[in-house]
Amino acid sequence: MANGVEDFYCDEVLSGKTKVEKFLETDQTLAFYHTRPFYDVHIVVIPKKHITSLVDININERSIFDDLFQVIQIVSKQVNDQYGACTVSINIGEYQSNKHLHWHVHYGNRIKYKNGTWC
């Protein structure tokens, strides 16, 4: 738990409890295939340090932010090169289901509706 809130990325992914298929990893960032993808190709990019949200990054974490964006750029380029397009998105506030800073890089058809049911 981070700040009293369940954090799947810290509690499960970064701890190793939930195994993920890694796409790219650096000392500060992990990009992996989403464990429950909503799109044909769905990659999540997270900092290894717990940061709650984009609005919570502070200036002392600049190197983390720089590394995150470098990884997002590499992942996006590879997906774009392979499929011809991709979407890069981030959620904030109530839209953010997991309170750990993360980006989605995805391509293709939506394979689940927002309520979790299959299309």
Side-chain angles (χ1 to χ4, degrees), residues 54-107:
L54 179 66
V55 298
D56 295 321
I57 294 173
N58 69 54
I59 194 67
N60 299 329
E61 297 164 330
R62 179 65 188 245
S63 68
I64 295 170
F65 195 66
D66 290 345
D67 191 71
L68 271 165
F69 269 90
Q70 183 176 19
V71 171
I72 292 165
Q73 182 181 31
I74 292 167
V75 171
S76 301
K77 181 174 179 355
Q78 288 183 18
V79 172
N80 184 60
D81 287 351
Q82 184 170 358
Y83 299 100
C86 71
T87 298
V88 178
S89 63
I90 187 169
N91 294 311
I92 297 173
E94 292 303 315
Y95 288 161
Q96 188 179 357
S97 60
N98 188 54
K99 304 304 186 210
H100 184 115
L101 178 66
H102 63 285
W103 275 261
H104 298 269
V105 179
H106 55 86
Y107 165 80

Side-chain angles (χ1 to χ4, degrees), residues 13 20-26 29-34 41-46 70-83 86 105-106:
V13 175
V20 295
E21 182 180 352
K22 295 177 182 178
F23 189 93
L24 177 65
E25 183 173 15
T26 68
T29 304
L30 176 63
F32 61 95
Y33 288 93
H34 200 296
V41 176
H42 194 163
I43 299 161
V44 179
V45 182
I46 63 171
Q70 183 176 19
V71 171
I72 292 165
Q73 182 181 31
I74 292 167
V75 171
S76 301
K77 181 174 179 355
Q78 288 183 18
V79 172
N80 184 60
D81 287 351
Q82 184 170 358
Y83 299 100
C86 71
V105 179
H106 55 86

